[in-house]
Each structure stands twice: as structure tokens, then as C-alpha cells.
Amino acid sequence: MIANLVNDLVVLCPNREKGCTTSCARWLVESHVREDCEYATVKCAKEGCDGMVERREAEGDCVHEEVECAFCQGPIRKLDIEVHYKECPKLSSDCRHCSQSFPNPELADHKLICPEEVIDCAASHFGCSYSSRRSELDDHLSHCHFVALTPILQLHTERIETLELENKAVRQKLDLLVPPRPLPTQMSGTNSSTTNDYNSAGRDMTSEMQDYTYHLYSEYEQLRSDVERLNAQIRELDVKQDMARFNEGLRYNDEMAGVRAAINGLRMQLHWLVASRRETGTGGAGSAAGPRSIGGSSVGGDGRRMSVDSARQVVKL
Ligand SMILES: [Zn+2]
Ligand SMILES: [Zn+2]
Ligand SMILES: [Zn+2]
Ligand SMILES: [Zn+2]
Ligand SMILES: [Zn+2]
């Protein structure tokens, strides 16, 4: 019913911009364009030509044939000849602004410097609304405030652009981290209760990807802190081990000193034994040495006891 009403509406031909003034019911438009419209594009009537022309021109000569330009002798398609006359290197055209005539190849260069063209102030993108003929603009440029401020404005613009980029990067990072969302593995169960904000439009691929990225990111952070913790522990252990080794070294040194002292004691004892044996031997041979030997032995006995005691002490140590 509605479709019928719409189809009965009177509409303009889709080729109206090219010049067709036909208007008809909507359902007839298609056949108009296909069969009648003078401005519809159709295949060229000439045999073997693949070009397209508007229907009103299809009956005339084929416009796709190449003809020779009367001025530059270049091969130009008949269709394009009007356009070519505006560019033909042998012809001249008038400047739109100063109405002077220039050979076509020079016109483009002239357009950049034509003194009559009305142009905007060089600082127009910073807000100067002044415009005048090119020949008179220099006067304005010498006291335009915007031109004077251009270097600093340029600097600020660049800084703002840099900051915007930085801000974007930071925002992306922040979006990954805040608000903290549950990991995808827990998502299925607690979907509706915990992620309402993110869920309202339904979970699509991108948000799932984001969740996954967030998951990976948090895991990565976790691992990094683990590694840091382990590093600290290893350093602590290193220090502890060094201390233990140092203490053990000290203990060994003490023990060695004790052993050395004990050996010294034994050596002295041995000396004394050897000496006393020698003396008792000589004492038995001659009576004159008797009192000396007694004295010697008594002194020796003390010395022996002392040295034994000291040796025992040293060993205890
Ligand atoms: Zn038409
Ligand atoms: Zn043709
Ligand atoms: Zn030409
Ligand atoms: Zn000009
Ligand atoms: Zn200005």
C-alpha cells in the first residue's frame, strides 16, 4: 500500500543536472531513462566504437574518433576538442583576473603571480580575514598583527599537535587499564552484573579484543612484578651467602690459629723432653751435675706442667 503510494509520486528525471526536464511517476522513471531520456548515457552508435555518449548525440558522427588539432596538429578526440582549445600550447587564453592574454603553457605560471587576483592574507589560517588584490597585499602584510605573530602561533600549533598525539596515546593506555574489568575467563558468568556500561550495546568483537588485550596486559604486568620480586630475593640471598662465607672464613682462621698454637706447645714440650733427657743422661754420668740436674728437673717439671696446661688450653680454644 505504502509502496504503491510512493510509486505514484511524481519525480524528476535523475539526469536533470545534465538538462533533462522530464518529470513522471516514480514507477515510470526507470523506463524513461532506459528508453527515452535524451541525456542518458548510451553506447556510441558507430560500429566498433566502445565509447559512451548521451542519447541526443548518439545519432551524429562518432565523437570518439581522433581528429587533428588545427593549431598544434596533435591527435585529439572530437569529444575533447573544446577542452583542448583551452590548453593547446599554440593558443593563448585570457587570465581570469587581469584579462591579459597569455600563451596557454605560461598561463599556469602567471596565475601564481597575477597582481589582480584577490587573495587572502598570508596569516588567514590564524584568523586574519583581510583579503585584497595581490599587488596591494604587501602593504597589509607589513602591519598585520597575525603575520607578526605567525612564528609564535606556528610554534604553539605544533606543540598542540604534539600534545594531542601524546594525549591520544595516553588515553589509549588508560582505556586499557581503567575501569578495571574482569578477565574474559570470568566474563561469561558475571557478564550482566559487572560490565553493564560496556555491555549496553552488546559485546562485539572489538570489546572482546580489548578485554583480551587488557587481560594480556595485566598478566604481563603481573609477570614483571614477579620477576622484580625474584630479583630482589636473589640479591638478598647473595648478600646473606657472602656474610655466611665471611663468618665461616673467620671461624676457620681462629681454628687454624688454635691448631698452630697447639703445635707450637707440642714442639716446646718436645724440646724440653729432649733437653731434660739429655741432662739426666749427663747427670747420671757425673755427680757434680747432681744439684743442677735436680734444679733443672724441678724447673723442667714446672715448665712441663705449664706447657701441657697451655697446650690443653689452646686445644680447648
Ligand atoms: Zn530524462
Ligand atoms: Zn564513438
Ligand atoms: Zn592543439
Ligand atoms: Zn592575470
Ligand atoms: Zn592579515
mmCIF file of all heavy atoms in Angstrom, residues 90-109:
data_model
loop_
_atom_site.group_PDB
_atom_site.id
_atom_site.type_symbol
_atom_site.label_atom_id
_atom_site.label_comp_id
_atom_site.label_asym_id
_atom_site.label_seq_id
_atom_site.Cartn_x
_atom_site.Cartn_y
_atom_site.Cartn_z
ATOM 1 N N LYS A 90 49.587 26.000 -28.675
ATOM 2 C CA LYS A 90 49.737 27.010 -29.740
ATOM 3 C C LYS A 90 48.747 28.154 -29.580
ATOM 4 O O LYS A 90 48.783 29.125 -30.326
ATOM 5 C CB LYS A 90 49.511 26.346 -31.115
ATOM 6 C CG LYS A 90 50.538 25.300 -31.450
ATOM 7 C CD LYS A 90 51.876 25.926 -31.807
ATOM 8 C CE LYS A 90 52.921 24.845 -32.006
ATOM 9 N NZ LYS A 90 54.255 25.366 -32.194
ATOM 10 N N LEU A 91 47.839 28.010 -28.611
ATOM 11 C CA LEU A 91 46.818 29.048 -28.448
ATOM 12 C C LEU A 91 47.074 29.858 -27.192
ATOM 13 O O LEU A 91 47.832 29.446 -26.315
ATOM 14 C CB LEU A 91 45.429 28.409 -28.364
ATOM 15 C CG LEU A 91 44.885 27.820 -29.670
ATOM 16 C CD1 LEU A 91 43.534 27.197 -29.420
ATOM 17 C CD2 LEU A 91 44.778 28.906 -30.739
ATOM 18 N N SER A 92 46.436 30.998 -27.113
ATOM 19 C CA SER A 92 46.540 31.836 -25.925
ATOM 20 C C SER A 92 45.179 31.909 -25.254
ATOM 21 O O SER A 92 44.140 31.737 -25.890
ATOM 22 C CB SER A 92 46.984 33.241 -26.305
ATOM 23 O OG SER A 92 48.286 33.214 -26.820
ATOM 24 N N SER A 93 45.200 32.161 -23.945
ATOM 25 C CA SER A 93 43.946 32.355 -23.221
ATOM 26 C C SER A 93 44.084 33.595 -22.373
ATOM 27 O O SER A 93 45.192 34.048 -22.070
ATOM 28 C CB SER A 93 43.650 31.150 -22.313
ATOM 29 O OG SER A 93 43.620 29.972 -23.080
ATOM 30 N N ASP A 94 42.927 34.133 -21.987
ATOM 31 C CA ASP A 94 42.944 35.323 -21.146
ATOM 32 C C ASP A 94 43.000 34.924 -19.682
ATOM 33 O O ASP A 94 42.345 33.959 -19.264
ATOM 34 C CB ASP A 94 41.671 36.151 -21.386
ATOM 35 C CG ASP A 94 41.693 36.773 -22.773
ATOM 36 O OD1 ASP A 94 42.789 36.761 -23.382
ATOM 37 O OD2 ASP A 94 40.627 37.213 -23.237
ATOM 38 N N CYS A 95 43.737 35.671 -18.906
ATOM 39 C CA CYS A 95 43.744 35.467 -17.449
ATOM 40 C C CYS A 95 42.393 35.920 -16.916
ATOM 41 O O CYS A 95 41.881 36.963 -17.312
ATOM 42 C CB CYS A 95 44.885 36.260 -16.817
ATOM 43 S SG CYS A 95 44.803 36.302 -15.020
ATOM 44 N N ARG A 96 41.850 35.140 -16.010
ATOM 45 C CA ARG A 96 40.525 35.465 -15.477
ATOM 46 C C ARG A 96 40.553 36.752 -14.676
ATOM 47 O O ARG A 96 39.563 37.441 -14.530
ATOM 48 C CB ARG A 96 40.067 34.336 -14.551
ATOM 49 C CG ARG A 96 39.272 33.258 -15.269
ATOM 50 C CD ARG A 96 38.607 32.355 -14.265
ATOM 51 N NE ARG A 96 39.589 31.714 -13.387
ATOM 52 C CZ ARG A 96 39.406 31.527 -12.085
ATOM 53 N NH1 ARG A 96 38.302 31.943 -11.520
ATOM 54 N NH2 ARG A 96 40.324 30.931 -11.359
ATOM 55 N N HIS A 97 41.704 37.074 -14.093
ATOM 56 C CA HIS A 97 41.763 38.187 -13.146
ATOM 57 C C HIS A 97 42.177 39.502 -13.798
ATOM 58 O O HIS A 97 41.591 40.536 -13.530
ATOM 59 C CB HIS A 97 42.710 37.831 -12.000
ATOM 60 C CG HIS A 97 42.402 36.512 -11.389
ATOM 61 N ND1 HIS A 97 41.249 36.267 -10.699
ATOM 62 C CD2 HIS A 97 43.083 35.337 -11.413
ATOM 63 C CE1 HIS A 97 41.226 35.017 -10.287
ATOM 64 N NE2 HIS A 97 42.330 34.419 -10.717
ATOM 65 N N CYS A 98 43.186 39.454 -14.647
ATOM 66 C CA CYS A 98 43.671 40.709 -15.221
ATOM 67 C C CYS A 98 43.288 40.860 -16.689
ATOM 68 O O CYS A 98 43.618 41.886 -17.305
ATOM 69 C CB CYS A 98 45.184 40.818 -15.061
ATOM 70 S SG CYS A 98 46.077 39.539 -15.942
ATOM 71 N N SER A 99 42.628 39.831 -17.263
ATOM 72 C CA SER A 99 42.147 39.868 -18.648
ATOM 73 C C SER A 99 43.265 39.993 -19.678
ATOM 74 O O SER A 99 43.005 40.243 -20.837
ATOM 75 C CB SER A 99 41.150 41.020 -18.869
ATOM 76 O OG SER A 99 40.170 40.983 -17.877
ATOM 77 N N GLN A 100 44.508 39.823 -19.262
ATOM 78 C CA GLN A 100 45.593 39.821 -20.248
ATOM 79 C C GLN A 100 45.664 38.447 -20.897
ATOM 80 O O GLN A 100 45.271 37.448 -20.303
ATOM 81 C CB GLN A 100 46.929 40.105 -19.570
ATOM 82 C CG GLN A 100 47.122 41.559 -19.191
ATOM 83 C CD GLN A 100 48.531 41.783 -18.691
ATOM 84 O OE1 GLN A 100 49.484 41.535 -19.422
ATOM 85 N NE2 GLN A 100 48.655 42.245 -17.462
ATOM 86 N N SER A 101 46.187 38.419 -22.115
ATOM 87 C CA SER A 101 46.258 37.169 -22.850
ATOM 88 C C SER A 101 47.656 36.559 -22.697
ATOM 89 O O SER A 101 48.661 37.272 -22.811
ATOM 90 C CB SER A 101 45.949 37.443 -24.330
ATOM 91 O OG SER A 101 45.958 36.227 -25.007
ATOM 92 N N PHE A 102 47.688 35.257 -22.403
ATOM 93 C CA PHE A 102 48.966 34.573 -22.272
ATOM 94 C C PHE A 102 48.919 33.282 -23.072
ATOM 95 O O PHE A 102 47.863 32.649 -23.154
ATOM 96 C CB PHE A 102 49.229 34.218 -20.800
ATOM 97 C CG PHE A 102 49.474 35.412 -19.946
ATOM 98 C CD1 PHE A 102 48.420 36.033 -19.282
ATOM 99 C CD2 PHE A 102 50.747 35.938 -19.819
ATOM 100 C CE1 PHE A 102 48.637 37.132 -18.498
ATOM 101 C CE2 PHE A 102 50.965 37.051 -19.033
ATOM 102 C CZ PHE A 102 49.917 37.656 -18.365
ATOM 103 N N PRO A 103 50.052 32.859 -23.653
ATOM 104 C CA PRO A 103 50.086 31.526 -24.270
ATOM 105 C C PRO A 103 49.738 30.484 -23.209
ATOM 106 O O PRO A 103 50.166 30.611 -22.053
ATOM 107 C CB PRO A 103 51.546 31.376 -24.711
ATOM 108 C CG PRO A 103 52.099 32.750 -24.742
ATOM 109 C CD PRO A 103 51.326 33.547 -23.728
ATOM 110 N N ASN A 104 48.968 29.479 -23.602
ATOM 111 C CA ASN A 104 48.482 28.506 -22.612
ATOM 112 C C ASN A 104 49.560 27.931 -21.695
ATOM 113 O O ASN A 104 49.331 27.816 -20.494
ATOM 114 C CB ASN A 104 47.735 27.378 -23.325
ATOM 115 C CG ASN A 104 46.335 27.833 -23.699
ATOM 116 O OD1 ASN A 104 45.757 28.682 -23.019
ATOM 117 N ND2 ASN A 104 45.801 27.295 -24.789
ATOM 118 N N PRO A 105 50.758 27.551 -22.240
ATOM 119 C CA PRO A 105 51.757 26.968 -21.331
ATOM 120 C C PRO A 105 52.218 27.927 -20.246
ATOM 121 O O PRO A 105 52.679 27.494 -19.203
ATOM 122 C CB PRO A 105 52.922 26.614 -22.266
ATOM 123 C CG PRO A 105 52.328 26.541 -23.621
ATOM 124 C CD PRO A 105 51.213 27.534 -23.634
ATOM 125 N N GLU A 106 52.079 29.249 -20.480
ATOM 126 C CA GLU A 106 52.572 30.214 -19.485
ATOM 127 C C GLU A 106 51.487 30.640 -18.502
ATOM 128 O O GLU A 106 51.773 31.309 -17.510
ATOM 129 C CB GLU A 106 53.126 31.464 -20.186
ATOM 130 C CG GLU A 106 54.407 31.200 -20.933
ATOM 131 C CD GLU A 106 54.781 32.369 -21.845
ATOM 132 O OE1 GLU A 106 54.385 33.520 -21.540
ATOM 133 O OE2 GLU A 106 55.446 32.118 -22.861
ATOM 134 N N LEU A 107 50.259 30.264 -18.814
ATOM 135 C CA LEU A 107 49.147 30.778 -18.007
ATOM 136 C C LEU A 107 49.220 30.311 -16.559
ATOM 137 O O LEU A 107 48.971 31.084 -15.634
ATOM 138 C CB LEU A 107 47.822 30.364 -18.656
ATOM 139 C CG LEU A 107 46.602 31.093 -18.095
ATOM 140 C CD1 LEU A 107 46.683 32.578 -18.436
ATOM 141 C CD2 LEU A 107 45.318 30.499 -18.651
ATOM 142 N N ALA A 108 49.605 29.042 -16.372
ATOM 143 C CA ALA A 108 49.637 28.498 -15.014
ATOM 144 C C ALA A 108 50.627 29.274 -14.161
ATOM 145 O O ALA A 108 50.347 29.594 -12.998
ATOM 146 C CB ALA A 108 50.009 27.019 -15.061
ATOM 147 N N ASP A 109 51.801 29.593 -14.740
ATOM 148 C CA ASP A 109 52.800 30.367 -14.002
ATOM 149 C C ASP A 109 52.282 31.765 -13.686
ATOM 150 O O ASP A 109 52.490 32.275 -12.587
ATOM 151 C CB ASP A 109 54.095 30.484 -14.828
ATOM 152 C CG ASP A 109 54.827 29.152 -14.877
ATOM 153 O OD1 ASP A 109 54.547 28.300 -14.000
ATOM 154 O OD2 ASP A 109 55.649 28.964 -15.794
#
